[in-house]
Amino acid sequence: MDEKMVTKVNSRCYRFSNVDFEPESRSLYWQDSTVSTLTYEECRLLEMLCYHAGEVLSARILYASTSLPDSSFSQHQNSLCSLLAKSYRHGEKILPLDVVGDHGYRVALPQKTYQRQAEVIPNPSEPDPLDIHIDEPVQELKTQRNVVPIITGTLLSVLSAAAAIIYLM
């Protein structure tokens, strides 16, 4: 007896006053229900800063901890600048990401860190409300098919009458 087992994983989420950050989807979920997608590098940086929320991390530490092997320090700095720009919404700073003098970067403590519930995956062995049941009467399907020729015939008659009126004008 071989049964497939599915493991549900809830994704980690950091909630700030007007935005949620979900690293798994690389997304910022704004209070107005819009979503901003982060690049892979931006997501890694923000995740690291959220993990160390409240602490100041230098650009060098962030670079060493989050950068891909083939990226340069200037690319890393560009990602930091881009992430800082995405912390604003309609000209207002929403994501509490700050530059702390020459020392580095800091994200304020989130209001809440939680596991976002994964969508429930339906069990294929249980019937879905939209499934068609085989034991339903076949007559219902025939009745629905008979309506199409009636609608088509009526539509053709209306179109023919309209064409005749236009022709006579």
Side-chain angles (χ1 to χ4, degrees):
M1 180 193 269
D2 241 354
E3 273 190 47
K4 259 188 181 178
M5 293 190 64
V6 178
T7 305
K8 268 197 265 180
V9 178
N10 295 334
S11 61
R12 185 175 54 256
C13 188
Y14 299 95
R15 172 158 288 163
F16 298 97
S17 61
N18 292 315
V19 64
D20 287 353
F21 167 52
E22 186 180 274
E24 186 176 304
S25 65
R26 292 188 359 234
S27 299
L28 294 172
Y29 294 91
W30 301 97
Q31 193 173 32
D32 64 1
S33 300
T34 57
V35 179
S36 296
T37 304
L38 301 173
T39 66
Y40 183 73
E41 292 80 13
E42 292 167 343
C43 183
R44 287 176 53 102
L45 285 166
L46 186 54
E47 186 173 20
M48 178 78 162
L49 287 163
C50 285
Y51 184 78
H52 294 280
E55 297 177 36
V56 177
L57 300 178
S58 73
R60 292 275 174 204
I61 289 174
L62 286 169
Y63 176 68
S65 303
T66 63
S67 291
L68 299 172
D70 61 345
S71 66
S72 68
F73 188 71
S74 65
Q75 288 171 323
H76 170 75
Q77 289 294 94
N78 288 340
S79 293
L80 277 167
C81 289
S82 176
L83 183 59
L84 282 165
K86 288 182 180 179
S87 68
Y88 286 83
R89 189 84 172 147
H90 306 296
E92 183 182 346
K93 187 164 192 75
I94 302 294
L95 182 65
L97 169 61
D98 296 304
V99 179
V100 183
D102 292 335
H103 304 288
Y105 302 87
R106 174 182 57 210
V107 167
L109 292 171
Q111 290 178 340
K112 183 178 181 182
T113 301
Y114 65 98
Q115 298 292 319
R116 183 176 283 223
Q117 295 294 321
E119 288 185 24
V120 178
I121 300 170
N123 183 348
S125 63
E126 294 177 7
D128 187 279
L130 299 176
D131 286 343
I132 296 174
H133 300 287
I134 295 174
D135 56 336
E136 289 179 358
V138 179
Q139 289 177 340
E140 285 183 31
L141 294 175
K142 284 183 181 174
T143 305
Q144 290 174 354
R145 277 190 240 145
N146 291 338
V147 172
V148 174
I150 294 170
I151 293 172
T152 306
T154 305
L155 186 58
L156 286 174
S157 298
V158 170
L159 288 174
S160 297
I165 291 171
I166 291 171
Y167 179 74
L168 292 174
M169 294 176 112

